[in-house]
Amino acid sequence: MGALDYIQDLDRAVFDEANQQSYAKKAQKGLSEKLVRRISKEKKEPGWMLELRLEGLQKFTEMELPEWGVNLKDLDFDDLIYYASPEEMKGYATSWEDVPADVKRTFERLGIPEAERKVLAGAGAQYDSLNAYHNLKEEWEKLGVIFEDMDVAVQKYPDLVKKYFMKAVPVKDHKFTALHTAVWSGGTFLYIPKGVHVDQPLQAYFRMNAQNMGQFEHTLIIVEEEAQGHYVEGCSAPKYGSTSLHAGCVEIYVKKNARFRYSSVENWSQDTYNLNTKRAIIDENGLMEWVGGNLGSGKTMLYPCSVLRGKRSKSDHLGIAFANKGQIQDVGAKVIHVGENTTSTVLSKGISKGGGESIYRGLLQINKGAKGAKANVRCDALILDGDSRSDTYPDLRIHEEDVAIGHEASVGRISEEQLYYLRSRGLSEDEALAMIVNGFIEPIIKALPLEYAVEMNRLIEMEMEDSVG
Amino acid sequence: MLSVKNLQVQVEGKEILHGIDLQIKPGEVHAIMGPNGSGKSTFSNVLMGHSKYKVTNGEIEFRGQNLLELEPEERARLGMFLAFQYPKEIPGVSLVSFLRAAYNAVRKDKDPISLYHFKKLLEEKMELIGLSSTFMSRSLNEGFSGGEKKKVEILQMAMLEPRLAILDETDSGLDIDALKTICETVQAIRSPKQSILLITHYPRILDYITPDKVHVLMNGKIVMEDGERLARKLEEQGYDYVREKMGIKSLGLKIVN
């Protein structure tokens, strides 16, 4: 079996199908101080973490829902499970053999063990609230790289975690970061020591299984000076026809002369509200690259943010959003130029189909003093039919004069003539459409490692199936 | 192989073709010649199945099948090919990936070709037609010059090996060297059973590909038919020769040679 064979067998059923979830029946719905204390106790957390959680809970109850973006009024906070842990999963496994059979089967269908063997430096696999598997190849461990379940990292590396946890993203940034702080569970802790180049990607896969589940994993990444790395995240959830919520948080610190790439393919089921927060702080001469694909999920609000703090620091944001029937993809990028001679690029591609709505919402802020800043934003939209729509909301806040800024936006519809041309060569209408769409997102696909590029193409193809008629 | 009977076609409610008859046998080369606005491109697009054109009367049969019931892709799989006058640009789709998909599509009954073998085959044909292999990974037609686009059309024809190739004004916009290369390629890749329908304004292309039959299309009707010598006449005297002979009024359309 080749590393890519699993992708050919991927179909919607792989993602939509759920395992038995007797454990979740015992899990209670709703949010309370009691639950927050229980989570912290079960995880044997230090006092400061419990205090932080309680602060999060307090802020969550005080704060209002955002008044912009996707309408969240139907999100019933009392009807969600905030913490669920399959009984048999006590501590994660470091060998797939030790992962409970049905959990293992899920990840096998998603191709994780196979990919790990072939191309990854390490892999993690989270199932509802807890990691089922986490492993880093020995060669990297020897160099001092830490790739750990976030729950475990709080125990094993308390000083490092305390120094960086919820520092790039403040607890009260918005209602969902407050909620995240209160009930976060699982996720990844990655630490790359000074000068170490991890040249194979590290991957984490987040799987929601239980119905009405909320998943709140926390990913904390520290890339020390001169270090380099690439982290890839995949996400999916089965389809139940009732609401689930994903409010994860990603914090990345890119130190002087370091480079880091974070790629994610978010493919939650359409029942999911995906309200994720991702932020990186980049120091002098550092480079942060974001590559993101947003498919699935009914309603998404996600705007990865780069704070270019150090001189000559750089960020690249590449994003694809696919809004199919019944979906709103409200996504974009935020870039804040603080240091001198900082550079940023944003390339966003939105596709809408079958009545879906794809929105680019971006912030480009250049602070006073960020002399010589260069920024380029380009967002392209492709609308596949008359029912679908696309909008662009760029927000430019420029407080410095000595800057160079480019902003381009385009909205395109697939032309009959293009389809006819491809069909005259023997491609069906669906194949022709898929080909045009794949061409549209190609600049982003080519930034992904081969395995993920192929998977992303396959996911897009799945979205394109039955697109006509 | 191709049989067109009394074909009448409308575009946006206006009749463009007023009853065309045409028979092409396997291995034959036919030329349809006519001035601008005579309905040449309409005819080629109707044959390929463009949805914009409405057939109001008549029939088209190709290899024993009623073409009018088939979608463009089904016509392609049956062995029809249209070299476009204005090939479309498809950003982000490389020539090689597009053409491999098309290659596999017209050979649906056979196993898909491996990328390695396909590239080898493609390279051979590209060399034949004088296209650098760097075009393989470029986006289909994007940023190609007019001549390059035409070459890529013929490259597609060479790869897909259709039973009937319609070349819609492939000669227009080409300099004499490019035209010569393209015509030589068409000759070189032709199998004895492949039929060709040349759609053209100028007789020039017929110096390189000799037609078995020439049809002159004017105002949506075929008004004159003959062998290759008809093309010679047109070369010498232009379409006025046909108009005079057939008593057709010039509509003020001039032939520019």
Side-chain angles (χ1 to χ4, degrees):
Chain A
M1 185 176 170
L4 298 177
D5 288 358
Y6 77 94
I7 293 164
Q8 291 187 335
D9 300 332
L10 274 185
D11 61 43
R12 203 71 242 177
V14 172
F15 300 107
D16 286 349
E17 197 178 285
N19 286 331
Q20 286 293 319
Q21 39 150 347
S22 51
Y23 61 90
K25 289 198 183 110
K26 290 176 213 150
Q28 280 185 342
K29 285 183 180 175
L31 182 62
S32 63
E33 185 177 327
K34 199 175 139 202
L35 174 72
V36 171
R37 287 184 183 276
R38 197 192 108 207
I39 295 172
S40 191
K41 196 175 168 193
E42 269 189 25
K43 295 183 189 297
K44 300 185 182 69
E45 286 174 351
W48 66 266
M49 185 59 88
L50 174 62
E51 274 167 42
L52 199 63
R53 285 184 184 276
L54 292 171
E55 183 194 336
L57 181 65
Q58 179 67 27
K59 293 281 184 280
F60 170 73
T61 39
E62 286 167 17
M63 292 175 90
E64 298 293 327
L65 286 170
E67 286 180 355
W68 48 275
V70 173
N71 184 350
L72 302 172
K73 297 271 190 299
D74 293 336
L75 182 55
D76 183 356
F77 289 106
D78 296 329
D79 196 36
L80 289 170
I81 296 170
Y82 291 85
Y83 184 68
S85 48
E87 270 162 33
E88 64 274 30
M89 274 169 48
K90 289 283 175 260
Y92 62 79
T94 53
S95 155
W96 283 103
E97 266 124 59
D98 301 331
V99 173
D102 57 341
V103 177
K104 183 178 156 197
R105 183 179 147 267
T106 299
F107 288 115
E108 269 175 350
R109 292 188 75 189
L110 294 164
I112 313 300
E114 183 70 24
E116 183 189 7
R117 273 197 297 281
K118 302 268 159 114
V119 294
L120 300 174
Q126 178 159 340
Y127 198 74
D128 287 335
S129 299
L130 299 181
N131 270 299
Y133 176 86
H134 228 277
N135 194 32
L136 175 69
K137 284 183 182 160
E138 208 182 316
E139 51 179 308
W140 301 112
E141 211 174 301
K142 278 184 188 154
L143 292 171
V145 176
I146 303 168
F147 181 63
E148 193 44 278
D149 174 357
M150 193 66 217
D151 288 338
V152 176
V154 176
Q155 308 294 331
K156 280 171 82 173
Y157 313 100
D159 298 339
L160 267 177
V161 173
K162 196 175 176 184
K163 187 174 168 192
Y164 293 103
F165 190 87
M166 294 310 286
K167 292 294 195 295
V169 177
V171 174
K172 57 176 186 185
D173 203 59
H174 53 79
K175 192 173 178 73
F176 293 92
T177 53
L179 175 63
H180 172 88
T181 311
V183 294
W184 78 269
S185 180
T188 302
F189 177 74
L190 171 61
Y191 178 85
I192 309 180
K194 187 171 174 177
V196 174
H197 293 189
V198 183
D199 49 18
Q200 284 178 305
L202 292 142
Q203 176 175 300
Y205 200 95
F206 298 99
R207 174 75 178 172
M208 270 199 263
N209 182 62
Q211 192 169 2
N212 296 107
M213 190 61 209
Q215 195 170 56
F216 307 95
E217 86 288 351
H218 193 96
T219 297
L220 178 58
I221 296 170
I222 301 150
V223 191
E224 291 287 6
E225 291 184 9
E226 328 278 340
Q228 290 185 17
H230 182 187
Y231 172 79
V232 189
E233 213 174 77
C235 324
S236 67
K239 197 170 180 176
Y240 287 110
S242 62
T243 303
S244 53
L245 169 65
H246 176 244
C249 184
V250 177
E251 297 182 282
I252 303 173
Y253 299 85
V254 180
K255 301 297 181 70
K256 188 175 171 183
N257 295 327
R259 300 174 68 123
F260 195 71
R261 174 179 285 191
Y262 170 97
S263 308
S264 67
V265 178
E266 305 211 21
N267 184 34
W268 305 103
S269 77
Q270 289 217 3
D271 304 332
T272 310
Y273 283 80
N274 184 23
L275 309 169
N276 217 350
T277 306
K278 303 182 182 185
R279 195 164 301 170
I281 296 181
I282 305 110
D283 289 336
E284 186 177 334
N285 213 30
L287 169 65
M288 177 67 211
E289 297 173 297
W290 299 95
V291 184
N294 283 292
L295 302 102
S297 48
K299 291 177 176 177
T300 300
M301 289 173 78
L302 175 58
Y303 325 96
C305 171
S306 296
V307 181
L308 297 168
R309 181 165 70 178
K311 287 180 205 163
R312 296 185 307 280
S313 57
K314 280 185 186 175
S315 68
D316 281 326
H317 290 245
L318 295 173
I320 302 171
F322 198 122
N324 213 328
K325 190 180 174 189
Q327 291 180 280
I328 305 175
Q329 296 280 6
D330 195 315
V331 298
K334 297 203 278 185
V335 183
I336 300 163
H337 290 254
V338 182
E340 288 178 15
N341 298 309
T342 45
T343 310
S344 69
T345 60
V346 174
L347 176 61
S348 168
K349 301 262 183 183
I351 302 160
S352 346
K353 186 196 139 198
E357 200 175 333
S358 131
I359 293 153
Y360 175 80
R361 193 184 298 276
L363 169 70
L364 175 62
Q365 179 174 323
I366 301 189
N367 287 5
K368 186 85 194 148
K371 288 187 169 48
K374 288 195 199 87
N376 194 45
V377 179
R378 186 187 166 104
C379 40
D380 298 326
L382 186 65
I383 301 173
L384 301 191
D385 49 51
D387 303 329
S388 308
R389 56 179 298 176
S390 167
D391 288 299
T392 305
Y393 301 104
D395 184 1
L396 300 170
R397 301 177 195 170
I398 315 301
H399 306 294
E400 179 58 58
E401 279 167 25
D402 175 20
V403 295
I405 293 167
H407 195 286
E408 279 178 83
S410 76
V411 181
R413 286 179 191 273
I414 288 182
S415 80
E416 280 298 319
E417 296 297 320
Q418 278 179 318
L419 285 176
Y420 168 58
Y421 183 62
L422 295 179
R423 291 176 72 190
S424 80
R425 299 304 185 242
L427 303 175
S428 69
E429 190 163 357
D430 276 0
E431 289 166 337
L433 264 174
M435 183 171 271
I436 294 170
V437 169
N438 278 331
F440 175 71
I441 59 174
E442 193 267 351
I444 291 166
I445 297 290
K446 76 180 177 198
L448 286 168
L450 178 67
E451 288 71 21
Y452 306 100
V454 175
E455 181 173 342
M456 184 77 111
N457 275 327
R458 177 72 192 112
L459 292 174
I460 299 274
E461 265 172 40
M462 276 161 52
E463 295 293 334
M464 294 302 299
E465 275 160 20
D466 308 317
S467 61
V468 184
Chain B
M1 169 172 285
L2 178 75
S3 161
V4 180
K5 285 181 192 155
N6 189 32
L7 183 70
Q8 294 171 32
V9 175
Q10 283 187 357
V11 183
E12 289 155 7
K14 194 183 162 213
E15 190 168 283
I16 305 285
L17 299 179
H18 312 295
I20 306 267
D21 294 281
L22 182 72
Q23 308 287 327
I24 301 179
K25 294 200 180 85
E28 284 184 348
V29 177
H30 286 238
I32 291 191
M33 301 188 60
N36 290 334
S38 56
K40 301 191 297 290
S41 276
T42 299
F43 185 57
S44 56
N45 281 307
V46 167
L47 290 179
M48 202 65 235
H50 195 307
S51 58
K52 189 169 95 180
Y53 302 93
K54 198 175 159 213
V55 175
T56 51
N57 215 340
E59 17 183 291
I60 311 176
E61 212 182 85
F62 179 62
R63 298 181 64 203
Q65 292 217 38
N66 177 6
L67 267 198
L68 297 176
E69 287 174 352
L70 302 181
E71 297 291 338
E73 58 269 33
E74 294 170 313
R75 301 181 191 203
R77 290 173 203 157
L78 204 57
M80 286 199 45
F81 179 88
L82 172 61
F84 281 65
Q85 186 179 3
Y86 303 110
K88 293 294 153 201
E89 298 183 358
I90 315 287
V93 176
S94 69
L95 175 62
V96 61
S97 60
F98 154 71
L99 204 41
R100 187 165 160 235
Y103 186 88
N104 287 328
V106 298
R107 282 171 175 69
K108 275 243 149 89
D109 47 332
K110 299 192 181 115
D111 284 338
I113 190 170
S114 77
L115 184 60
Y116 173 78
H117 285 107
F118 183 77
K119 276 190 167 173
K120 259 185 91 170
L121 188 65
L122 184 58
E123 258 169 13
E124 270 170 37
K125 307 283 185 196
M126 289 179 91
E127 200 179 322
L128 190 69
I129 202 164
L131 264 176
S132 151
S133 58
T134 57
F135 276 86
M136 238 189 239
S137 50
R138 286 181 60 182
S139 288
L140 180 58
N141 292 323
E142 199 182 35
F144 293 10
S145 72
E148 286 161 354
K149 283 182 183 169
K150 295 289 170 79
K151 280 188 177 178
V152 168
E153 291 296 292
I154 300 306
L155 175 68
Q156 294 176 38
M157 174 183 161
M159 291 300 291
L160 303 178
E161 297 179 329
R163 300 291 189 101
L164 170 66
I166 306 159
L167 308 187
D168 188 3
E169 308 225 13
T170 298
D171 52 337
S172 69
L174 288 184
D175 64 37
I176 201 78
D177 290 334
L179 179 64
K180 215 175 144 201
T181 315
I182 280 182
C183 292
E184 281 167 4
T185 311
V186 171
Q187 301 282 25
I189 60 173
R190 257 191 86 191
S191 72
K193 278 190 176 166
Q194 186 176 55
S195 310
I196 292 179
L197 179 59
L198 296 162
I199 310 269
T200 182
H201 186 138
Y202 307 109
R204 187 173 71 151
I205 191 171
L206 307 179
D207 292 344
Y208 304 97
I209 305 176
T210 313
D212 298 303
K213 214 160 188 191
V214 177
H215 315 262
V216 176
L217 186 66
M218 272 188 182
N219 305 331
K221 276 188 96 79
I222 288 178
V223 292
M224 196 180 266
E225 289 173 313
D226 203 349
E228 194 209 347
R229 60 185 179 180
L230 179 53
R232 303 283 145 243
K233 279 275 183 210
L234 289 175
E235 193 155 25
E236 288 156 20
Q237 300 179 30
Y239 289 108
D240 284 343
Y241 162 75
V242 181
R243 290 194 184 95
E244 263 167 43
K245 193 131 193 199
M246 304 308 293
I248 298 168
K249 269 192 224 160
S250 170
L251 297 170
L253 295 165
K254 285 232 169 84
I255 315 288
V256 188
N257 246 326

